[in-house]
Amino acid sequence: MSFTLATWNINSVRLREPIVLKLLQEEAPDILCLQECKSPVEKIPFEGFAALGYTHMIARGQKGYNGVAILSKLPIRDVGDKDFALLGHARHVAGALENGVVIHNFYVPAGGDVPDREVNVKFGQKLDYLTEMRDWFRAERPQKSILVGDLNIAPREDDVWSHKQLLKVVSHTPVEVEHLNNAQEAGGWTDVTRADIPDGQLYSWWSYRAKDWDAADKGRRLDHIWASDDIKSAAHSSRIIRAARGWEKPSDHAPVFATFDL
DNA sequence: ATGGTTGCGAGGCAA
């Protein structure tokens, strides 16, 4: 069987229902993982998605902040969530397809502005969150698993518009990259996007604050698709739908896609 | 070094 998977930080699923529907109609992924839904689960506009064939939804929500959801054309079973670093936030949910493949949808904490846990509690929480992910993967050793989401870190030099200028900017500091790499290695995860597209600058997020995001192109690759070692060779056709960043009332993130033949 | 924009929800906080 083959299925296409997408991940998108939507920055309010209710405000952006129209562009979610546009993506579902134009690109028709089998599964769409959303982050930053900013909505209680019962207020997610599920009916609109269901009308396009996405009749399965697994979600965790809270009022105003965070929130993750998995929309699927394929039957998918809720297999729970983890509250890493005990933040009490809706930042993770997992679902299992009928073929046994588990999909983890993550929204890693952004970490605030100052990359120093002594003066910025949020930065410490981000590092702790990543450390607890590492410990969990070390204990569980994920198999037949896919991890997607807004990990809020651009790990490679070519994942940001200027490595040098972002070394002290939260999302690209060496300590964050080390924590992310440790989590990735502990789970034996392969970065599917970079396995498919190994060369060149690659971004999935552009700030709202830039005057002309497209021309300035000061992006970062914060959104990721990983596969466990046993299914890494099944992944192909990775792509980022950059055009979605320019749609009406856009999210500041663009959706990331991959296809799996399993 | 600062400010730049957006969403939620009604003043800041978070991103």
Side-chain angles (χ1 to χ4, degrees):
Chain A
M1 120 198 242
S2 174
F3 62 91
T4 294
L5 176 68
T7 179
W8 197 8
N9 177 317
I10 198 60
N11 187 18
S12 173
V13 69
R14 282 184 277 171
L15 188 68
R16 281 184 240 292
E17 181 184 4
I19 62 169
V20 173
L21 295 174
K22 180 178 170 73
L23 186 81
L24 296 178
Q25 286 179 308
E26 294 186 0
E27 302 293 338
D30 296 287
I31 300 159
L32 174 61
C33 297
L34 298 171
Q35 304 85 35
E36 271 206 278
C37 296
K38 293 186 172 178
S39 173
V41 172
E42 62 272 18
K43 290 191 174 180
I44 295 174
F46 171 71
E47 291 306 322
F49 307 142
L52 294 181
Y54 297 83
T55 53
H56 305 90
M57 180 175 81
I58 296 171
R60 297 292 185 273
Q62 60 188 98
K63 193 163 146 347
Y65 300 99
N66 310 313
V68 286
I70 304 174
L71 310 179
S72 180
K73 289 182 167 181
L74 306 170
I76 189 165
R77 179 169 58 93
D78 192 321
V79 291
D81 58 74
K82 293 276 281 183
D83 182 19
F84 298 94
L86 298 178
L87 300 176
H89 297 170
R91 294 183 177 275
H92 169 253
V93 71
L97 301 175
E98 288 181 327
N99 62 7
V101 170
V102 176
I103 296 168
H104 291 280
N105 184 14
F106 273 95
Y107 175 48
V108 171
D113 286 333
V114 183
D116 178 352
R117 70 185 308 154
E118 299 303 319
V119 298
N120 171 19
V121 171
K122 290 179 184 301
F123 193 72
Q125 290 174 341
K126 181 179 195 175
L127 297 181
D128 292 345
Y129 193 97
L130 292 159
T131 297
E132 294 193 15
M133 284 173 67
R134 179 203 67 186
D135 291 345
W136 190 49
F137 298 148
R138 192 175 275 168
E140 299 282 321
R141 263 285 159 173
Q143 295 185 334
K144 287 182 72 179
S145 297
I146 299 167
L147 183 156
V148 308
D150 177 3
L151 305 185
N152 264 314
I153 296 172
R156 292 174 30 153
E157 294 191 13
D158 52 4
D159 288 338
V160 294
W161 65 276
S162 169
H163 169 63
K164 193 175 173 185
Q165 287 182 253
L166 288 172
L167 273 171
K168 292 179 179 176
V169 174
V170 173
S171 73
H172 192 62
T173 64
V175 66
E176 289 171 90
V177 172
E178 183 185 15
H179 277 67
L180 184 69
N181 288 341
N182 287 343
Q184 186 182 343
E185 286 164 19
W189 297 106
T190 290
D191 178 342
V192 164
T193 310
R194 277 305 192 181
D196 267 356
I197 312 170
D199 300 315
Q201 306 301 116
L202 199 57
Y203 314 137
S204 65
W205 174 89
W206 296 261
S207 172
Y208 284 127
R209 298 175 189 175
K211 289 190 188 88
D212 184 341
W213 71 273
D214 196 22
D217 201 22
K218 293 184 172 180
R220 307 176 200 171
R221 188 173 70 102
L222 304 180
D223 303 276
H224 301 264
I225 298 179
W226 292 354
S228 59
D229 192 63
D230 52 345
I231 61 167
K232 67 181 179 190
S233 59
H236 62 91
S237 303
S238 294
R239 58 207 168 97
I240 297 176
I241 313 294
R242 180 184 173 112
R245 179 61 179 79
W247 289 352
E248 183 98 5
K249 290 284 286 177
S251 168
D252 44 357
H253 295 252
V256 181
F257 279 65
T259 300
F260 291 81
D261 298 335
L262 287 163

